Structures are given as structure tokens and as C-alpha cells.
Amino acid sequence: MSEAKTVKRSAKSADTADSKQTISRATSERPRLRDAERTSKAILAAATKEFAERGYGGARVDAIAERAKINKRMLYHYFGGKDALYVAVLEGSYIAIRSAEARLDLSHRSPADGMRELVVFTWQYFLDHPEFLGILSTENMHKARFLKRSARIFELHSPLVSEISGLLDRGAATGVFRSDCDPVKIYMSIAALGSFFLTNRWTLSTIFRRNLSDKSEIDAWGEHIVDVIFAYLRP
């Protein structure tokens, strides 16, 4: 056998070995990445519950680790500490609701249908995710001190404001909505009417002797929000 053929075969064998090692590494790394993602999600889910229930001051890293069923050192490895974890929870909470809103595809809906869909969605989201309102309440007590540390939070809200602006502009152009509406104020009104009811329903139920946790009361309030918003939007 010539020396050239021997070198070629050796090189081919080396390439094959390198390829197998690369595939082996990639295969072994995939489970580790999936495990890391699962662990990170478990920590965030546990932290969200802990912060929502106990606030920032009352939440404990030990309790979060226990909820997530992980070693506390892993929590520090993934998030660095309580402050960074709390900021991650804030970001995750906003990402979740903004992502869900994006799926409404408001830019391709008629102004009236799109606005009603946004109102109904927001009300239902608050009902389905009480921890979201809990997290917001906690951060407002801190005057958004931690939220201001997030570099991502501002860009998350631009698409929503833009889509509401589109609904309002199209509605004004077709005579469905008045022409002087502020999209931020509209969203704040929708959110305020929903969050006030839910965060105060226990005291309001006692004061007015009405069970505001009853399904009929909750459904009626959702329609009330729609009526209020559309009454304001009417030209």
C-alpha cells in the first residue's frame, strides 16, 4: 500500500472519529440543555408564587428552592440571588401577558371586534392569573424600584400600544370611535376596571353584602368593563 493511500485512510478515520465525537457531544448536551431549561422554569414558577403570596420582603430563597424541589445552590447558579430572581419574575410576568396579547392579532381585526377582544382577554387573563396582579401589587409598593432595573421591560409594551393605536385610528377613520383617544389611557382604563374589582372584591363583598366572587357577578363585571370602554369610545 502506498504512503499516500495510508495517509488518506488515516485522515478519513480521523475525520470519522471527530464526527462521531461531535455527534456524541451534541447528543449529550441536548439533555443537559433541556434539564437546564426545566430547572430554570421550575425556579421561576416557584418564585412567582412565593413573591405573589408573600411580597418581596416576605419571600425566602429557601422557600423558593423548596417549592421548586431543587438545591438552593442551583437557584444561585441560575439567577445569582433574590434580587435578580425577582427581576426575572417581573420580566417573565410581563412577557407572558404581552405574548398572549400578541396572539390576539389585533391589527387584522375590525376596530370594534378588536377592542372587545382586548377587553375580554384582559379581564379573563386577570382571572386566570391572580399571581400577575399579586406581583404588580408588590412592585408598586416598591415604587417600581426593581422594574426600573430591567432593560427589556420598555420594549415589551411598544407593540401593544401600537396595536391599540391602530384600532383607535381605524375606528376613528370609519366613524366607530371618537378621534381623540389616547391608547395608553384606554389600556389603563381596561386594566384598572379589572384589577380593582379583583384585588378589592373581598372588602367590597363585605361592604355591599354581595358575593362578588360569584360567577354571575364576575361575568357581569366583565360585560360592564366592555360597556364602559365602548361608552367612552363612542363618537
Side-chain angles (χ1 to χ4, degrees):
M1 183 183 293
S2 68
E3 185 178 341
K5 285 183 179 179
T6 302
V7 170
K8 188 180 285 187
R9 285 186 179 178
S10 297
K12 194 171 184 179
S13 298
D15 289 343
T16 301
D18 288 343
S19 297
K20 286 181 178 178
Q21 287 178 356
T22 301
I23 292 169
S24 178
R25 275 199 303 270
T27 303
S28 63
E29 283 172 2
R30 275 192 223 108
R32 284 201 294 270
L33 287 172
R34 286 196 293 268
D35 287 343
E37 288 173 4
R38 278 196 295 268
T39 301
S40 180
K41 286 180 180 178
I43 294 170
L44 279 175
T48 298
K49 289 181 180 177
E50 181 75 8
F51 286 125
E53 292 173 7
R54 304 183 184 280
Y56 174 80
R60 295 288 178 266
V61 170
D62 285 339
I64 294 170
E66 186 176 343
R67 281 178 186 256
K69 295 180 173 56
I70 58 145
N71 187 296
K72 187 169 69 172
R73 283 176 297 182
M74 291 186 71
L75 186 150
Y76 287 112
H77 170 73
Y78 280 100
F79 291 98
K82 184 178 177 180
D83 284 8
L85 178 56
Y86 180 63
V87 172
V89 165
L90 284 170
E91 289 180 341
S93 298
Y94 276 111
I95 288 169
I97 189 171
R98 296 291 92 93
S99 297
E101 285 164 346
R103 291 193 290 273
L104 297 176
D105 197 20
L106 298 179
S107 60
H108 293 96
R109 292 177 179 268
S110 70
D113 286 347
M115 188 59 67
R116 180 179 176 83
E117 187 71 15
L118 177 62
V119 173
V120 171
F121 163 83
T122 303
W123 174 235
Q124 191 61 50
Y125 192 91
F126 288 175
L127 287 169
D128 294 340
H129 299 85
E131 74 284 353
F132 178 68
L133 295 181
I135 292 294
L136 294 192
S137 177
T138 292
E139 186 57 9
N140 274 296
M141 288 176 64
H142 290 278
K143 299 180 180 179
R145 178 162 60 97
F146 293 94
L147 196 62
K148 290 171 184 175
R149 300 180 187 180
S150 171
R152 307 174 63 191
I153 210 68
F154 302 105
E155 65 189 42
L156 288 173
H157 292 72
S158 296
L160 174 66
V161 174
S162 178
E163 291 207 324
I164 295 175
S165 293
L167 287 176
L168 295 173
D169 290 344
R170 296 198 309 276
T174 56
V176 176
F177 297 152
R178 55 193 285 182
S179 59
D180 58 345
C181 298
D182 181 335
V184 173
K185 287 181 179 177
I186 293 298
Y187 182 76
M188 287 173 60
S189 298
I190 295 169
L193 286 166
S195 62
F196 179 85
F197 180 99
L198 293 174
T199 56
N200 294 279
R201 60 177 153 166
W202 311 110
T203 52
L204 293 172
S205 292
T206 302
I207 292 168
F208 297 118
R209 296 184 178 181
R210 295 173 66 172
N211 182 10
L212 297 181
S213 294
D214 188 80
K215 186 179 184 304
S216 62
E217 292 281 2
I218 289 173
D219 291 344
W221 189 258
E223 287 302 317
H224 177 72
I225 300 174
V226 173
D227 291 342
V228 170
I229 296 301
F230 273 82
Y232 174 79
L233 291 173
R234 194 173 299 125

